[in-house]
Amino acid sequence: MESLQNPATPLIEFDGVSKTYKGGTHALQDVNIKINKGEFVFIVGSSGAGKSTFMKLIMREEKPTTGQIRVNGYHLNKLRSKDVALYRRTLGIVFQDFRLIPTMNAFENVAFAMHVTGASSREIRKSVAGALSVVGLSHKARCLPAEMSGGEQQRVALARALVNRPEMIIADEPTGNVDPNMSYEIVELLNEINRRGTTVLMVTHEHQLVSDFDKRVIMIDKGKIVADNGDGNGGVV
Amino acid sequence: MKLSSVKYLTGTGIKNMWVNKLMTIASVGTLVACMLIIGVAVMIAQNVTFALKGIEQQNIIMVYFNDRNSVVYGDATPLVEIPKNEDGTRGEIPENAYLVHNEQEALAIVAEIEKLDNIESVEYVSKETSLEAVMDKYLQGQTEVQGVLTEDENSNPLSDGAKITVDSMELYSQTAEQLKTISGITTVTAQGDIADKLVAITDALRTAGFWIIAILLLISLVIVSNTIRVTMYNRKLEISIMKAVGATNAFIRLPFVIEGVFIGLISSGVAFGFMYLMHSAIVTELGRVLSLSSIVPFRTYALNLFALFAAIGLISGVVGSVIMMGRYLRKEGSEFRAL
Ligand SMILES: Nc1ncnc2c1ncn2[C@@H]1O[C@H](COP(=O)(O)OP(=O)(O)OP(=O)(O)O)[C@@H](O)[C@H]1O
Ligand SMILES: [Mg+2]
C-alpha cells in the first residue's frame, strides 16, 4: 500500500466542496483542502462551524452539495452504496458517545467490527487481543461497558476502530465526554497510533490539547476554513 | 457472503428472537391463528368437494340415438311421412324415417362424439344392455312384464345410446348443447342445472379460499413487519455501528430476514400440529355419527397444507423483514445517529 501511494496524491482531497442541508443551512462553503497520508490533524472551530459536517463528508455519511471529494483513491461523489461499505472499512470511526453495545463486553464490542468483514473466529481472537493491548485494556476484556470508566470505554471504542487496521482514524470530539486527564491519554494514544502510520483526523474543542500536541490544525468558522498551519504538501511532522 | 458471516448472522437472528421473547411469542401466536383459519377453510373445502364428488353421475350425459324405436316409442320426429293403414293406424315404418339402423351406424355416432372437446370417455350402450339394466333395477321378479319386453327383437322399446363422461364440469352444459347438434342423436339427458350448481359451489369455495388466504397473508405480513420493526429499533445502536465499520446492507439485513423466516416457519409448524390434532378430534367426534369414509383423511392434503403454511410463513418473513429494513436503510438523514 505504502509503495503504491503516489506521494503527490493526498490521502484526502476536498475540491470546492460546499454542503447545504435541507433546511438551507450552509454548513460548509467552498472548502479546498489536502491531507496527506500519515498526518495528524486537529479540526477546531466554534459550535455550528461545520466541523462535524466536514467529518461526515469524509465518512460518506453525507454527500457534498457541490464539489469533489477524493479519499484514498475512492471518488466519494461516485461511490455506489455497495462500495460505501467497502470504503468505510478503510476508516476507523470514533464517536463522542463511545457507541459501545451495553450487552457486550469489551472483547465482544471490538470483535463486532470484525464480524462485519467476515473474519474467522481465529483471526478475530488474535486481532481483538492485539487491539485491546494497544489501548492498554487487555485486563478489562471481559468487562461490560457499564463496568468501565468513560475513558476506558472510549479506549475500547478506539480499539474497535483500530481492529480492522484502517487507513485513517476519524474522530469527532472523542474526548468530549471524558475528563481532561483522560482526554490527554486518549490523544496520546491516537498520537501513538499515528506514529505507527495511521492518519488521524480529530475534532476537538479543547485548546489545551491542541497546544499540548504540536500538530496541523485546521480551523473552520461559519463553514469556511479560516486557518490551516499545514500546507497539505508533505504535511507537518 | 462468507460462511462464517452467515453462521454469525444466523446466531444473531436467533438471539434477537430470544431477546424479543414476548414480541416473538405474540407474532407466532397471531400467525398461527391466521394459518389455522386458512387450515380450517382448506379442510372444509376439501370435505365439501369430496362430498360433491359423491353425488352420483354428476359428470355423466346420456344420449339416445335416432333409431327405429326412437320414432316408434320415443319423441323423435320421423324423417319421412309414415304411411297409414286403411283403418287409420300407423303403417309399416320405412327405413329412411330414421338414421340408425344397425350397430355399425351407432358406433359411427360414438366416434363422432369422441371427436368433441371435453369428452373423457364414451361408452356405447345398446338397447339390449339398457333393457337388461332397466329390468335389473326396476323390474326384478316381475317375470310377466319381463316376458313381454323380451318376446321378440321388436318388443324392446328402448333405443341405442351412449354414456358420456365429461372432463370439465364447467363445460358440462355447453357439451350437452354440442351433443344435441350431432345428427343421429335424438335425446340428450343432462343434469345441467345440478352440474351448474355444483360448479357454482366449487367456484364460490375457490374464490372464498383465495380471498381468505390473500387477506390473512397480508395480515401475517403486517405482523411480521411489526415484529421486525421492534427488533430494528431495539438494535438501532448496533445498526449504526455496523454501518460505521463498513457492513454491507445485505449483512445488516440478514439477521432480520432470518428472524422473520424463523417466526414464519415456527408458526407454520405449530399451526400444522394444531391442524393435525383438530382433525383427529373431529374424526373421533363425527366418527360416532358418520361413516369415516365420508371424511377426507388428513394425510391426503396434509403435505399441501404444510407447504401452504410454510409458504405463508416464508413469504411474510422474507417480505416483511425486507420491506422494513429497506425503509430503514434508505431513510433520510444521519445514518450513524443511534438514538
Ligand atoms: N442533518 C442536518 N440537517 C440540517 N442542518 C444540519 C444538519 N447537521 C448539521 N446542521 C447544521 O449545519 C451547521 C453545522 O453543523 P455541524 O454539526 O457541522 O457543526 P459543528 O461544527 O460540528 O458544531 P459542534 O461543535 O456544536 O458539534 C449547523 O448550523 C447545524 O445546525
Ligand atoms: Mg459537531
Side-chain angles (χ1 to χ4, degrees):
Chain A
M1 203 68 206
E2 193 91 17
S3 57
L4 287 173
Q5 198 80 35
N6 182 347
T9 318
L11 187 65
I12 298 172
E13 186 173 9
F14 275 53
D15 190 1
V17 171
S18 298
K19 175 69 189 177
T20 306
Y21 282 110
K22 271 218 182 88
T25 312
H26 300 290
L28 285 180
Q29 290 173 62
D30 193 27
V31 171
N32 296 285
I33 200 116
K34 289 183 175 121
I35 295 170
N36 287 314
K37 190 174 160 58
E39 282 196 80
F40 189 123
V41 183
F42 282 120
I43 319 282
V44 298
S46 56
S47 186
K51 307 180 292 296
S52 294
T53 303
F54 179 75
M55 301 295 257
K56 282 176 185 170
L57 287 171
I58 295 174
M59 297 185 276
R60 184 46 168 71
E61 196 192 340
E62 296 284 357
K63 281 195 220 174
T65 313
T66 56
Q68 307 291 318
I69 304 174
R70 275 176 294 271
V71 182
N72 198 17
Y74 289 89
H75 203 307
L76 296 200
N77 299 55
K78 292 178 188 164
L79 226 49
R80 285 175 310 166
S81 69
K82 221 174 131 191
D83 298 324
V84 170
L86 295 179
Y87 164 67
R88 287 207 184 122
R89 291 179 196 180
T90 69
L91 312 177
I93 299 174
V94 181
F95 300 96
Q96 180 176 354
D97 56 0
F98 321 143
R99 300 275 170 99
L100 298 178
I101 298 162
T103 53
M104 293 182 182
N105 64 34
F107 183 95
E108 290 162 341
N109 263 292
V110 178
F112 186 68
M114 284 196 83
H115 283 299
V116 166
T117 64
S120 73
S121 24
R122 229 186 48 155
E123 288 173 286
I124 291 176
R125 268 196 302 278
K126 221 179 91 198
S127 303
V128 173
L132 282 176
S133 91
V134 168
V135 299
L137 284 177
S138 299
H139 60 290
K140 295 260 178 177
R142 303 282 152 222
C143 292
L144 291 173
E147 298 160 354
M148 289 183 276
S149 75
E152 285 168 338
Q153 288 184 52
Q154 191 59 303
R155 276 148 66 197
V156 173
L158 196 52
R160 180 179 63 197
L162 283 174
V163 78
N164 286 328
R165 296 177 222 295
E167 197 68 28
M168 69 199 100
I169 295 280
I170 310 288
D172 192 349
E173 295 188 51
T175 60
N177 284 3
V178 295
D179 65 62
N181 282 340
M182 234 345 131
S183 293
Y184 190 89
E185 262 183 57
I186 283 168
V187 181
E188 187 77 285
L189 207 49
L190 285 171
N191 197 20
E192 175 58 30
I193 291 160
N194 175 247
R195 262 202 293 275
R196 296 183 191 188
T198 308
T199 310
V200 174
L201 257 70
M202 169 179 165
V203 171
T204 187
H205 277 295
E206 294 168 75
H207 300 292
Q208 192 57 46
L209 281 179
V210 177
S211 49
D212 283 349
F213 295 83
D214 183 25
K215 301 291 182 189
R216 179 177 175 187
V217 181
I218 295 173
M219 188 174 208
I220 302 179
D221 188 39
K222 297 194 184 81
K224 290 188 171 131
I225 293 185
V226 290
D228 180 1
N229 64 359
D231 55 7
N233 294 316
V236 177
V237 185
Chain B
M1 199 173 283
K2 291 180 191 164
L3 190 67
S4 54
S5 300
V6 173
K7 258 200 240 161
Y8 172 74
L9 294 174
T10 308
T12 311
I14 294 170
K15 209 174 79 189
N16 290 345
M17 288 174 63
W18 184 247
V19 172
N20 257 352
K21 274 188 287 301
L22 269 179
M23 218 40 214
T24 306
I25 292 169
S27 35
V28 167
T30 325
L31 280 190
V32 166
C34 286
M35 287 174 183
L36 283 181
I37 296 173
I38 293 174
V40 169
V42 168
M43 196 157 102
I44 292 173
Q46 286 284 331
N47 281 285
V48 169
T49 320
F50 180 69
L52 292 183
K53 279 224 178 83
I55 296 175
E56 221 179 336
Q57 296 200 326
Q58 52 163 317
N59 56 346
I60 302 282
I61 301 177
M62 287 299 302
V63 295
Y64 296 99
F65 298 156
N66 186 293
D67 59 4
R68 187 177 175 280
N69 283 352
S70 72
V71 177
V72 180
Y73 304 104
D75 48 10
T77 330
L79 300 175
V80 292
E81 201 170 332
I82 295 171
K84 287 203 167 94
N85 293 329
E86 279 166 12
D87 58 2
T89 57
R90 191 170 54 190
E92 193 55 38
I93 295 174
E95 292 235 322
N96 56 354
Y98 52 93
L99 286 170
V100 179
H101 305 87
N102 49 42
E103 183 168 332
Q104 202 183 342
E105 282 171 348
L107 288 174
I109 298 177
V110 169
E112 198 71 21
I113 295 170
E114 274 170 344
K115 281 187 210 147
L116 293 180
D117 293 330
N118 195 36
I119 304 293
E120 194 184 287
S121 64
V122 187
E123 187 192 331
Y124 170 58
V125 184
S126 68
K127 50 178 176 282
E128 290 78 23
T129 319
S130 294
L131 184 62
E132 267 168 43
V134 169
M135 291 196 300
D136 243 24
K137 212 166 176 182
Y138 304 107
L139 302 171
Q140 257 180 9
Q142 307 186 32
T143 37
E144 227 170 283
V145 186
Q146 288 197 14
V148 172
L149 288 171
T150 51
E151 204 177 338
D152 63 58
E153 69 167 303
N154 278 340
S155 56
N156 178 357
L158 302 177
S159 290
D160 286 336
K163 181 181 175 185
I164 298 151
T165 312
V166 300
D167 253 337
S168 149
M169 288 298 285
E170 276 90 353
L171 301 172
Y172 184 94
S173 299
Q174 196 184 320
T175 306
E177 286 307 312
Q178 283 173 348
L179 285 167
K180 278 182 191 158
T181 64
I182 293 179
S183 82
I185 293 181
T186 347
T187 323
V188 175
T189 8
Q191 295 162 317
D193 52 335
I194 294 183
D196 289 348
K197 273 179 198 147
L198 291 182
V199 169
I201 293 172
T202 349
D203 271 358
L205 275 176
R206 205 172 293 156
T207 316
F210 173 81
W211 283 110
I212 288 174
I213 292 176
I215 290 169
L216 292 177
L217 182 62
L218 204 70
I219 293 175
S220 310
L221 213 89
V222 171
I223 290 160
V224 176
S225 309
N226 196 49
T227 310
I228 298 298
R229 200 180 60 170
V230 171
T231 312
M232 227 162 51
Y233 280 88
N234 285 346
R235 297 190 63 226
K236 250 180 147 172
L237 174 67
E238 276 168 68
I239 294 173
S240 80
I241 297 163
M242 283 164 104
K243 295 220 94 171
V245 295
T248 57
N249 281 352
F251 188 94
I252 296 174
R253 202 179 278 135
L254 195 63
F256 296 94
V257 176
I258 285 170
E259 183 181 353
V261 166
F262 265 77
I263 289 177
L265 288 185
I266 290 173
S267 307
S268 56
V270 173
F272 186 75
F274 270 124
M275 281 303 295
Y276 177 76
L277 294 178
M278 195 181 332
H279 191 271
S280 310
I282 288 173
V283 166
T284 349
E285 276 303 310
L286 284 183
R288 294 188 194 132
V289 282
L290 284 174
S291 76
L292 281 185
S293 60
S294 56
I295 301 170
V296 181
F298 189 55
R299 68 188 132 75
T300 54
Y301 57 95
L303 200 66
N304 285 340
L305 191 66
F306 186 69
L308 181 65
F309 284 177
I312 293 170
L314 271 178
I315 291 172
S316 46
V318 171
V319 177
S321 51
V322 167
I323 289 174
M324 269 301 145
M325 284 312 289
R327 262 167 63 177
Y328 186 88
L329 293 175
R330 264 197 312 275
K331 210 175 56 180
E332 293 288 314
S334 169
E335 50 185 13
F336 294 158
R337 189 167 48 218
L339 300 164

